[in-house]
Amino acid sequence: DAYLSGGVYLGGTGSANKLEDYEEGSWTPSLYAPTGGALTVSGSASGRYTKIGRLVHLSFAIGPFTLSGGTSGAAINIAGVPFTTQGSGLDSNGSVLGIYNISWSRTDFVALRTYDVSTLGFLVSNNGGGWIWETVSAFTGSNKYINGTITYMTTA
């Protein structure tokens, strides 16, 4: 049940049920290497978000794209998130990725996670091999696609 009386209340009229912040919009994801030099990326990118309170749900599509430059061993991230994250790997779950022509360095497990307070990163692992942040070399070349979703908590 939804109630309207000085705000929106879901499931009852008590203050714990008040929905105080709801927002939808678009954002532009961009591939970024926090260290190791500038990347040259050409292609299309778009994203949508929904924010309810401190919970942020992002979806995005990048591609087809061509990437060159940067240091091949440097971490690669997605910049442009519309709301600050809580930091590296904190409070981010529910990521789903769709990819084409990406050469992951470790292929058993791939997860999109918060890398720092302003970017997302790709954690990869082989069974029992530990987790590492994916590098620029996995994305170098042409005719690449990546799309996905992630849900995380913002600090605001």
Side-chain angles (χ1 to χ4, degrees):
D1 294 331
Y3 301 91
L4 300 175
S5 178
V8 176
Y9 296 85
L10 300 175
T13 57
S15 64
N17 298 318
K18 186 175 182 183
L19 177 61
E20 296 185 39
D21 182 22
Y22 180 88
E23 184 178 340
E24 293 181 344
S26 62
W27 66 290
T28 304
S30 61
L31 294 173
Y32 166 73
T35 62
L39 301 176
T40 301
V41 181
S42 60
S44 62
S46 63
R48 302 278 307 152
Y49 70 85
T50 301
K51 180 178 179 282
I52 303 171
R54 292 182 48 230
L55 187 68
V56 178
H57 179 78
L58 303 180
S59 62
F60 66 91
I62 306 172
F65 67 89
T66 299
L67 185 141
S68 62
T71 302
S72 64
I76 189 162
N77 294 358
I78 296 177
V81 297
F83 300 96
T84 303
T85 78
Q86 291 189 345
S88 180
L90 299 173
D91 294 324
S92 64
N93 285 300
S95 67
V96 176
L97 290 171
I99 59 125
Y100 174 74
N101 206 15
I102 306 293
S103 302
W104 303 112
S105 60
R106 297 181 180 184
T107 59
D108 287 349
F109 304 103
V110 177
L112 180 65
R113 298 296 299 254
T114 55
Y115 182 85
D116 60 24
V117 297
S118 62
T119 64
L120 307 174
F122 305 92
L123 276 174
V124 294
S125 177
N126 282 338
N127 194 16
W131 292 88
I132 62 168
W133 293 106
E134 188 55 82
T135 62
V136 169
S137 61
F139 289 74
T140 301
S142 61
N143 198 32
K144 312 257 181 197
Y145 293 81
I146 187 158
N147 58 52
T149 64
I150 187 170
T151 300
Y152 67 89
M153 298 293 286
T154 183
T155 56

